[in-house]
């Protein structure tokens, strides 16, 4: 394996979406509101507050210089009542155990909202992947994987890419796991390259899911899909694919942005042209066929749909009042703070919460796991139509709960999720 620094790990943005004193408690605050609506038994409440397993492993890595560095890795399985743990691995200097716990719980709810048979887990290693060579990253990935290997596996816990990890890293995880088990086990991770058991449609799955739930939300509030005016913040995997697929549905993309700012055309951007520009590795700001706009201005544009698909905490108590969208589709994880939630609700904005809106990614990860286990691979059309069915059904279930309990879509999504997890716990009984 090459020890050069080419083929960089892809995502530079630091994701500190729960950059609070105790992110796990922040997460649980929303959980508690939903649990109250469900009259959740005290015992189950306590069970779901405690992650099942928390691992901390030391990962010694031989640096290219010949020195040994020791990195700290975490893996948390929050809940496995509905199936194996499912959750990404992130490489970042900001990784903490509390953040990993919060993200693991979040995965439990996300998998339950779309009713895929997984529990929730997450992992991370405290490191700066941009200061490491490919060889160092490979050795770190393999040592971390072997550190937690007893608790990994298709029936135990199935990692995926997350911040600063990608399909290259997943290939190393799969290889390490397979070497220890003396045979190839493709289903032990998802988000792998298609050549070695990855799924067609996985790369587009999150944006495609955003498109499906946005279409549903427009129908629900009685606005036409064709001609709906859409504004997208973030033009990476989720943002650019959401924009592309929404444009194909006949929606008008008024504005898109990346971290350096955005492009705006009140009559609608020529999206294929913008995508072709970006495909040539050109920054958005070098595109000349549109007006320039800042990210703050973009959030306040008059539109039907706003898709925050960049990073966390962008809609806050400070700017929520200026938002003029009828619908917010949360492509990113945690783009809206709890304080902003209330303001958006008062303004009557229809929010499709992250654990529903961006669950297309984990849904196709589930398809990948199913295909690996069956050894039979689906064509892209099958993947996409099955994704559509799950996203549409999940959206409708959450919307119905929102009406029945007279709560926001966010709390309704938590209600659907907790209800599903709680039901399985009751059926299985408590081994206490
Ligand atoms: P990405 O790295 O491909 O793209 C991120 C985009 O956001 C880039 O265009 C970047 O320039 C832009 N950006 C960064 N900082 C910004 C800022 N301050 N203002 C405006 N734009 C900014 O990442 P991605 O995979 O598209 O993920 C985006 C979000 O979606 C993250 O919150 C991620 O956790 C979430 N998410 C991703 C997936 C997936 O399958 N990729 C699944 C679920 C959730």
């Amino acid at each position: 394996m090459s020890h050069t620094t080419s083929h960089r790990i892809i995502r530079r943005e630091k994701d500190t979406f729960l950059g609070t004193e105790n992110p796990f408690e922040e997460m649980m605050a929303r959980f508690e509101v939903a649990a109250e609506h469900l009259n959740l038994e005290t015992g189950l409440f306590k069970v779901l507050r405690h992650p099942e397993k928390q691992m901390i492993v030391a990962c010694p890595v031989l640096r290219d210089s010949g020195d040994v560095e020791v990195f700290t890795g975490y893996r948390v399985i929050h809940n496995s009542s509905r199936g194996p743990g499912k959750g990404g691995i992130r490489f970042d200097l900001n990784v903490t155990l509390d953040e990993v716990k919060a993200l693991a719980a979040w995965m439990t709810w996300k998998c339950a909202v779309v009713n895929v048979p997984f529990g929730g887990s997450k992992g991370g290693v405290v490191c700066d992947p941009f200061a490491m060579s490919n060889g160092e990253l490979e050795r770190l990935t393999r040592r971390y994987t072997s550190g937690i290997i007893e608790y990994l596996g298709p029936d135990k816990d199935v990692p995926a890419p997350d911040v600063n990890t990608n399909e290259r890293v997943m290939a190393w995880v799969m290889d390490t796991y397979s070497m220890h088990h003396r045979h190839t086990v493709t289903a032990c991770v998802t988000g792998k390259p298609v050549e070695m058991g990855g799924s067609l449609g996985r790369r587009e799955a999150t944006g495609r899911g955003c498109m499906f739930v946005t279409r549903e939300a427009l129908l629900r509030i009685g606005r036409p899909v064709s001609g709906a005016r859409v504004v997208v913040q973030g033009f990476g995997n989720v943002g650019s694919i959401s924009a592309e697929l929404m444009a194909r549905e006949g929606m008008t993309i008024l504005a898109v942005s990346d971290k350096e700012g955005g492009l705006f055309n009140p009559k609608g951007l020529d999206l294929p042209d913008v995508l072709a520009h970006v495909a040539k590795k050109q920054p958005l700001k070098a595109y000349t066929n549109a007006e320039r706009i800042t990210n703050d201005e973009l959030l306040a544009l008059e539109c039907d749909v706003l898709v925050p698909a960049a990073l966390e905490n962008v809609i806050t108590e400070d700017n929520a009042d200026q938002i003029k969208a009828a619908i917010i589709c949360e492509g990113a994880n945690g783009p809206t703070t709890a304080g902003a939630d209330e303001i958006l609700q008062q303004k009557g904005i229809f929010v499709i919460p992250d654990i529903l809106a961006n669950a297309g990614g984990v849904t196709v990860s589930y398809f990948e796991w199913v295909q690996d286990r069956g050894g039979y691979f689906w064509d892209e059309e099958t993947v996409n139509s099955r994704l559509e069915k799950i996203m549409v059904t999940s959206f409708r279930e959450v919307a119905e709960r929102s009406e029945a309990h007279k709560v926001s879509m966010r709390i309704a999504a938590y209600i659907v999720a907790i209800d599903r997890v709680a039901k399985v716990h009751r059926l299985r009984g408590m081994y206490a």
Side-chain angles (χ1 to χ4, degrees):
M1 193 55 60
S2 153
H3 282 217
T4 66
T5 51
S6 58
H7 309 299
R8 303 301 318 179
I9 298 290
I10 39 170
R11 293 161 69 184
R12 220 168 217 299
E13 288 84 33
K14 299 274 181 276
D15 179 335
T16 51
F17 79 98
L18 289 171
T20 52
E21 288 280 302
N22 190 325
F24 187 72
E25 293 305 326
E26 280 283 302
M27 154 69 56
M28 282 296 148
R30 281 167 169 173
F31 161 81
E32 282 169 20
V33 177
E36 256 176 51
H37 277 275
L38 283 169
N39 282 328
L40 194 68
E41 307 88 301
T42 320
L44 260 182
F45 183 84
K46 284 191 222 163
V47 169
L48 296 177
R49 270 192 68 90
H50 289 84
E52 279 174 22
K53 207 169 262 129
Q54 302 176 51
M55 282 163 270
I56 306 177
V57 289
C59 307
V61 171
L62 186 65
R63 303 296 304 236
D64 293 345
S65 63
D67 295 335
V68 169
E69 187 67 72
V70 181
F71 298 92
T72 301
Y74 303 106
R75 186 80 188 165
V76 173
I77 301 178
H78 171 257
N79 189 282
S80 65
S81 60
R82 304 180 70 253
K86 187 87 198 78
I89 297 171
R90 58 176 57 184
F91 285 174
D92 198 291
L93 283 173
N94 296 322
V95 166
T96 64
L97 182 58
D98 265 332
E99 187 190 63
V100 177
K101 277 164 65 180
L103 291 162
W106 201 328
M107 286 305 297
T108 302
W109 315 135
K110 199 181 281 193
C111 292
V113 167
V114 285
N115 211 2
V116 296
F118 286 131
S121 59
K122 204 81 179 189
V125 180
V126 188
C127 66
D128 178 1
F130 303 101
M132 297 171 75
S133 70
N134 252 16
E136 290 170 340
L137 282 169
E138 179 179 350
R139 294 193 285 279
L140 173 62
T141 304
R142 291 185 184 279
R143 187 62 200 239
Y144 169 69
T145 304
S146 70
I148 58 174
I149 204 158
E150 293 98 315
Y151 301 103
L152 291 181
D155 293 313
K156 293 181 184 170
D157 181 20
V158 186
D162 195 68
V163 174
N164 298 335
T165 59
N166 57 14
E167 58 177 41
R168 173 72 279 190
V169 175
M170 294 309 109
W172 291 327
V173 173
M174 186 279 228
D175 183 70
T176 307
Y177 185 90
S178 298
M179 285 293 131
H180 279 260
H181 287 79
R182 319 304 296 163
H183 63 107
T184 295
V185 186
T186 51
C188 69
V189 281
T190 63
K192 299 179 295 293
V194 172
E195 298 84 342
M196 53 179 282
S199 178
L200 293 171
R202 172 65 187 85
R203 193 182 65 83
E204 300 83 4
T206 307
R208 191 176 296 279
C210 288
M211 180 273 283
F212 289 138
V213 291
T214 297
R215 230 173 43 187
E216 285 298 304
L218 283 163
L219 293 173
R220 191 139 202 117
I221 67 164
R223 294 200 183 198
V225 173
S226 178
R229 296 156 308 152
V230 180
V231 167
V232 182
Q233 184 191 49
F235 210 60
N237 174 283
V238 181
S240 69
I241 290 165
S242 297
E244 183 179 7
L245 297 180
M246 288 181 194
R248 274 200 222 153
E249 292 293 303
M251 302 184 209
T252 304
I253 314 300
L254 295 185
V256 297
S257 71
D258 63 14
K259 61 176 170 254
E260 294 173 322
L263 305 174
F264 172 54
N265 183 338
K267 296 207 177 90
L269 296 165
D270 178 350
L271 206 72
D273 198 43
V274 178
L275 288 164
H277 167 85
V278 172
K280 283 185 248 154
K281 303 248 176 286
Q282 292 298 313
L284 273 186
K285 66 177 179 194
Y287 184 78
T288 48
N289 259 342
E291 293 170 30
R292 301 275 307 143
I293 188 173
T294 67
N295 266 298
D296 287 343
E297 289 164 346
L298 173 136
L299 290 174
L301 283 174
E302 175 96 41
C303 60
D304 297 299
V305 183
L306 171 63
V307 186
L311 68 173
E312 68 291 343
N313 296 342
V314 288
I315 303 174
T316 65
E317 276 168 271
D318 296 334
N319 64 4
D321 204 34
Q322 292 156 34
I323 292 191
K324 299 179 196 74
I327 294 167
I328 296 176
C329 172
E330 294 186 337
N333 281 319
T336 309
T337 65
D341 264 351
E342 270 180 45
I343 301 170
L344 299 177
Q345 207 176 349
Q346 279 159 16
K347 285 171 68 92
I349 296 176
F350 191 101
V351 178
I352 316 171
D354 45 14
I355 57 170
L356 170 64
N358 68 38
V362 80
T363 302
V364 177
S365 273
Y366 162 57
F367 295 164
E368 181 175 334
W369 178 79
V370 169
Q371 292 171 78
D372 287 339
R373 286 165 73 101
Y376 179 71
F377 289 84
W378 313 344
D379 59 30
E380 201 163 344
E381 243 182 284
T382 306
V383 170
N384 292 346
S385 68
R386 288 179 177 169
L387 172 64
E388 177 172 12
K389 192 167 177 201
I390 289 185
M391 293 307 293
V392 169
T393 306
S394 307
F395 176 93
R396 291 182 185 165
E397 283 166 350
V398 172
E400 277 159 26
R401 284 292 183 117
S402 155
E403 277 168 18
H405 287 265
K406 299 194 174 26
V407 292
S408 66
M409 286 286 283
R410 188 182 316 283
I411 296 300
Y414 275 84
I415 290 176
V416 168
I418 295 166
D419 200 19
R420 285 203 172 118
V421 177
K423 272 184 182 141
V424 172
H425 271 284
R426 286 187 206 110
L427 285 167
R428 288 179 62 153
M430 204 57 71
Y431 183 39

